[in-house]
């Protein structure tokens, strides 16, 4: 009777292997993967250990760690920009739904400006190391890798299409509805103000804007599509556009946060929002109703989005079948849009 043993190559890498490759002690590796490295392990050495873990394909035993530390019920919410108030509302919904099921929620900035920058592998290793049970995050270029590392614990929000997401936000439908609304009011020179970001959402919205114009027989003019960095406070590019003889009479804004820049540009050009120029936003954050005039916008309800995301996570975790949840958006009409005035 043969006594077959696993070859060393087939064995799962251990923290001892990581320590050996990184040239550190096993206890130092434990500090990093135990979330206790702050002030005890230099950033350079921490990076060295994470790199060694990535090279070896090392993954801590999250279940064992959770049972030992009593931190098994953790859910991460990854958003592309934590400073956007829309995501604060999403967080509130996720926290409530997760807490009702015994999970604590941790917010993580997954965007380029976040702690992990353009290194998603390090982010995913860190999540796995800290015994998170799952992650809800906006679709990104590293979605496939996340699903590979945590296949039954990752919930993807947004995406290019419903095939790419667990909770789908139809950005193309949103923009088409905005353009349809403005075209129905007689506007033919419709501009777009978006964020200059790599996120799929904004690429989809740019494409949908062009398709929306085409559907109404309107000509696309590249001068009327402006993309600004997140947090931009200057409205000079919009003012320049509004100063042209064939200026736009209406704007679609990819986010409610962009609308104040259009409002300010219009005021500086002697135009009145809701009369001389119409503006539509996306999100329906609190700011939308505080602007004067109040902003017409497409609401993306955060309560139902958060509930759907947590419900999908729980079903995946339990090995139950799931289906794509499409968030129902709604055009909220306020006073920032009005009929075209020749």
């Amino acid at each position: 009777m043969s006594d077959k043993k696993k070859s060393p190559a087939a064995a799962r890498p251990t923290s001892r292997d990581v320590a050996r490759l990184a040239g550190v002690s096993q206890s130092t590796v434990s500090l990093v993967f135990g979330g206790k490295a702050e002030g005890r392990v230099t950033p350079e050495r921490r990076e060295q250990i994470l790199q060694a873990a990535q090279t070896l394909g090392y993954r801590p035993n999250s279940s064992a760690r959770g049972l030992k530390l009593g931190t098994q019920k953790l859910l991460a919410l990854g958003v592309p920009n934590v400073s956007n108030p829309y995501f604060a509302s999403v967080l509130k919904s996720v926290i409530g739904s997760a807490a009702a099921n015994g999970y604590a929620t941790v917010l993580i900035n997954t965007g380029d400006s976040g702690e992990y920058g353009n290194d998603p592998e390090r982010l995913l290793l860190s999540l796995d190391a800290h015994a998170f049970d799952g992650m809800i995050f906006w679709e990104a270029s590293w979605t496939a890798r996340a699903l590979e590392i945590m296949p039954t614990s990752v919930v993807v929000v947004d995406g290019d299409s419903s095939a790419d997401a667990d909770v789908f936000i139809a950005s193309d439908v949103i923009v088409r509805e905005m353009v349809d609304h403005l075209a129905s009011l007689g506007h033919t020179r419709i501009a777009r103000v978006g964020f200059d970001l790599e996120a799929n959402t904004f690429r989809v919205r740019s494409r949908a804007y062009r398709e929306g114009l085409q559907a109404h027989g309107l000509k696309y003019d590249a001068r009327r599509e402006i993309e600004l960095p997140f947090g931009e406070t200057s409205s000079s590019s919009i003012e320049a556009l509004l100063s042209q003889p064939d200026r736009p009479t209406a704007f679609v804004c990819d986010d409610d946060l962009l609308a104040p820049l259009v409002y300010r540009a219009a005021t500086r050009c002697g135009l009145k929002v809701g009369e001389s120029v119409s503006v539509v936003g996306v999100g329906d954050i609190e700011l939308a109703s505080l602007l004067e005039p109040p902003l017409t916008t497409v609401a993306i309800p955060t309560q139902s989005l958060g509930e759907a995301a947590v419900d999908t996570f729980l079903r995946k975790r339990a090995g139950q079948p799931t289906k794509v949840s499409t968030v129902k958006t709604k055009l909220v009409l306020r006073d920032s849009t009005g009929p075209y005035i020749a």
Side-chain angles (χ1 to χ4, degrees), residues 24-33 37 40-41 45 49:
V24 300
S25 67
Q26 191 173 0
S27 61
T28 303
V29 173
S30 297
L31 287 174
V32 170
F33 286 101
R40 304 169 75 179
V41 180
R45 177 126 326 157
I49 292 170

Side-chain angles (χ1 to χ4, degrees), residues 75 135-136 152-157 165-168 304-326:
L75 181 62
M135 180 178 183
I136 297 169
T152 62
S153 307
V154 170
V155 175
V156 181
V157 180
D166 296 297
V167 181
F168 181 55
S304 58
L305 188 158
E307 290 173 354
V310 173
D311 180 68
T312 300
F313 159 70
L314 294 172
R315 288 179 176 277
K316 282 190 172 188
R317 192 72 174 168
Q320 299 174 352
T322 62
K323 61 180 181 180
V324 177
S325 297
T326 299

Side-chain angles (χ1 to χ4, degrees), residues 50-267:
L50 290 173
Q51 185 58 51
Q54 181 177 338
T55 299
L56 294 171
Y58 170 72
R59 291 178 59 200
N61 188 330
S62 299
S63 298
R65 276 187 42 75
L67 290 172
K68 181 180 179 181
L69 301 178
T71 57
Q72 187 67 11
K73 308 278 274 186
L74 281 176
L75 181 62
L77 172 63
V79 301
N81 196 316
V82 294
S83 61
N84 189 324
Y86 178 79
F87 293 120
S89 186
V90 172
L91 175 63
K92 181 179 179 181
S93 174
V94 170
I95 285 177
S97 297
N101 290 279
Y103 287 84
T105 304
V106 176
L107 180 65
I108 296 173
N109 188 14
T110 61
D112 291 348
S113 61
E115 176 188 352
Y116 296 94
N118 290 309
D119 190 358
E121 188 75 20
R122 190 158 66 91
L123 166 63
L124 296 171
L125 279 171
S126 181
L127 286 172
D128 197 39
H130 287 80
F132 279 92
D133 292 275
M135 180 178 183
I136 297 169
F137 71 95
W138 260 247
E139 198 275 338
S141 60
W142 40 271
T143 298
R145 180 58 176 149
L147 292 170
E148 180 184 327
I149 291 180
M150 297 184 285
T152 62
S153 307
V154 170
V155 175
V156 181
V157 180
D158 214 347
D160 286 335
S161 69
S162 57
D164 303 318
D166 296 297
V167 181
F168 181 55
I169 302 172
S171 289
D172 56 341
V173 174
I174 289 173
V175 176
R176 287 288 293 272
E177 187 172 19
M178 297 163 76
V179 174
D180 288 348
H181 171 59
L182 294 171
S184 73
L185 294 172
H187 296 282
T188 58
R189 298 194 299 273
I190 303 171
R192 169 183 173 259
V193 181
F195 284 127
D196 183 16
L197 298 172
E198 287 299 315
N200 290 336
T201 298
F202 300 108
R203 293 201 300 270
V204 170
R205 290 179 184 176
S206 177
R207 183 174 67 240
Y209 161 68
R210 301 180 190 205
E211 293 172 349
L213 293 178
Q214 185 178 22
H216 289 279
L218 304 178
K219 183 181 178 181
Y220 170 74
D221 186 337
R223 295 175 305 164
R224 295 181 185 147
E225 187 168 25
I226 297 173
E227 294 191 336
L228 304 170
F230 185 88
E232 178 63 74
T233 59
S234 172
S235 58
S236 58
S237 57
I238 304 173
E239 291 169 35
L241 185 59
L242 285 173
S243 299
Q244 296 175 2
D246 58 344
R247 68 168 180 83
T249 62
F251 286 82
V252 294
C253 297
D254 278 2
D255 193 294
D256 289 346
L257 293 177
L258 291 164
L261 295 179
V262 180
Y263 275 51
R264 183 170 66 187
T267 299

